[in-house]
Amino acid sequence: MSLKEADILQALDAVKLPDGSSLATSGRMSGIAITDGKVICAITIEAKDAGIMEPVRAAAEARIRALPGVKQALVGLTADKAPAGTAPPRPAAAAPRATTRPAALPGVKHIVAVASGKGGVGKSTTSCNLALGFAALGLKVGILDADIYGPSQPRLFGLRGKPRQIGPRMLEPLERYGVKVMSIGFLVDEDAAMIWRGPMVISAITQMLREVAWGELDVLVVDLPPGTGDAQLTMAQQTPLSGAVIVSTPQDLALIDARRGIAMFQKVDVPLFGVIENMSSFCCPNCGHISPIFGHGGARAEAERHNVPFLGEVPLDMNIRATSDEGRPIVATEPDSPHAQIYKGIAATVWAALDTGASVRAAPRIVIE
Ligand code: ADP
């Protein structure tokens, strides 16, 4: 039997809102997506009702999961109802400042976020190779692909399987090259457009963080969605991060966004391990000539300006791109190559800081508008 939206709504008829009415007919259900027995949808709420609506969300998820033919169910709360038509989502209100640290993830020693001010700078490629760099140090490593708008870790790791469900709620991460991997890309098709709005993104990512059987890990790398909007800020607040790394290309436009990234983590008191300059220069494979296509050294200067460590330069290299696209990341498949050594060096620097707590300090506060 192939599942239809009507089947989902029928199942939700028995789920009651706090006022006793049916969730199915409340007009609150949106974004119902059904692929291969995986159901993802959202309940629209008022932001202030997040607490009282959580049991409704959990009940809805349990009902959907119990339907014949459903393998996985993910129900999020969204407080930002988009208007009909194609109007862009309105910007969400500024995230409230966290007053308490988010709860630690049992068994996971450190969580390191990899962020970028904008897309396309190589954040996912860097996250993948950084995670493999940690693994090369003999550490137990996981990677959470929180880039929900464009999950690329399945492709980068060459993974296509589906996570196995353990018990009523937990998912088992997939594993490749000694790294445990979880991505929304395992649950929905890579090219399925993710049109989720801020609060729903946060809800989905929190679930992927907390309802995955990571086991014992030394480091969990989190590949954040690009940008410095409200969703990213809230994630930085709600994830028990040991610290963050920012990836930027060297040109001025990217650096403006990187600066916003630095400010974002400082705003929520998440320590910054440093900035990585990606696509730093291009070495011609034919003649060996080095061209600074996007300029060179901009990220280092930016890091110094803000008193944040500079972690290293990764060149623009055909082999990095090719191995990434083929699901054979360079640190795993060409571990002795010069580029793999760069990623491994960065991983060693970050681990030294994590292990000794040396840079787990709040960077000096700056205000950038
Ligand atoms: P983001 O996560 O920031 O959107 P990706 O990691 O997906 O960026 O990288 C975007 C594209 O750039 C991909 O095709 C990737 O293979 C390529 N890329 C990333 N870093 C490098 C690099 N250092 N050299 C060559 N290509 C790179």
Side-chain angles (χ1 to χ4, degrees):
M1 178 192 103
S2 79
L3 278 166
K4 306 236 169 8
E5 190 171 318
D7 303 321
I8 307 298
L9 289 173
Q10 196 179 353
L12 295 180
D13 199 38
V15 177
K16 300 292 178 218
L17 295 172
D19 67 2
S21 61
S22 158
L23 174 62
T25 53
S26 64
R28 289 169 179 268
M29 295 309 300
S30 65
I32 300 178
I34 307 165
T35 356
D36 285 346
K38 294 172 298 274
V39 181
I40 300 184
C41 55
I43 306 173
T44 304
I45 60 163
E46 299 262 336
K48 65 176 175 45
D49 294 339
I52 53 166
M53 289 297 286
E54 171 53 29
V56 177
R57 187 203 67 76
E61 202 170 76
R63 281 273 166 183
I64 296 172
R65 197 176 285 132
L67 280 174
V70 171
K71 293 184 215 139
Q72 274 148 9
L74 189 67
V75 179
L77 296 176
T78 175
D80 192 7
K81 192 168 170 50
T86 53
R90 64 188 157 84
R97 289 290 293 269
T99 47
T100 50
R101 292 273 299 147
L105 209 56
V108 177
K109 285 194 196 137
H110 295 291
I111 305 182
V112 175
V114 179
S116 65
K118 64 175 193 159
V121 300
K123 170 184 57 60
S124 300
T125 308
T126 307
S127 306
C128 164
N129 282 296
L130 187 62
L132 290 162
F134 286 129
L137 296 172
L139 300 170
K140 293 194 220 82
V141 185
I143 185 162
L144 170 62
D145 185 358
D147 191 346
I148 218 141
Y149 302 113
S152 12
Q153 296 305 335
R155 181 175 41 82
L156 284 161
F157 276 87
L159 279 168
R160 297 185 67 87
K162 302 288 171 209
R164 208 166 55 88
Q165 194 164 329
I166 316 168
R169 288 195 78 91
M170 299 296 275
L171 289 178
E172 188 175 55
L174 301 185
E175 190 162 346
R176 187 107 198 252
Y177 305 121
V179 173
K180 291 181 177 168
V181 186
M182 178 48 74
S183 169
I184 195 81
F186 297 143
L187 308 177
V188 297
D189 291 340
E190 194 180 358
D191 49 6
M194 288 282 124
I195 51 157
W196 296 352
R197 298 174 291 279
M200 190 167 173
V201 171
I202 293 157
S203 163
I205 292 171
T206 307
Q207 262 180 284
M208 287 207 298
L209 186 71
R210 302 210 173 259
E211 296 177 12
V212 167
W214 293 110
E216 298 286 319
L217 292 183
D218 294 304
V219 193
L220 176 63
V221 174
V222 179
D223 179 6
L224 283 182
T228 48
D230 188 47
Q232 289 82 353
L233 187 66
T234 308
M235 277 202 61
Q237 279 179 320
Q238 293 188 354
T239 310
L241 295 173
S242 296
V245 168
I246 291 181
V247 181
S248 179
T249 47
Q251 71 271 45
D252 286 349
L253 271 177
L255 289 169
I256 292 169
D257 294 306
R259 209 172 299 155
R260 290 202 185 102
I262 295 173
M264 177 177 84
F265 287 110
Q266 291 180 333
K267 203 181 211 169
V268 292
D269 290 328
V270 168
L272 276 166
F273 292 119
V275 177
I276 298 171
E277 183 167 289
N278 191 36
M279 309 189 189
S280 191
S281 52
F282 174 69
C283 178
C284 173
N286 299 320
C287 68
H289 179 72
I290 294 177
S291 320
I293 292 184
F294 299 126
H296 175 244
R300 182 193 289 272
E302 199 62 41
E304 280 169 6
R305 196 168 306 136
H306 297 300
N307 201 12
V308 169
F310 182 69
L311 290 170
E313 296 168 0
V314 180
L316 176 67
D317 182 81
M318 297 232 285
N319 212 20
I320 296 180
R321 200 224 24 92
T323 51
S324 302
D325 284 353
E326 289 162 9
R328 302 184 308 106
I330 198 156
V331 172
T333 58
E334 298 175 26
D336 298 323
S337 64
H339 299 126
Q341 301 288 358
I342 294 172
Y343 288 116
K344 289 202 271 189
I346 294 172
T349 307
V350 174
W351 176 248
L354 279 170
D355 203 29
T356 59
S359 87
V360 183
R361 56 172 171 78
R365 292 182 74 82
I366 50 161
V367 178
I368 301 165
E369 294 303 340

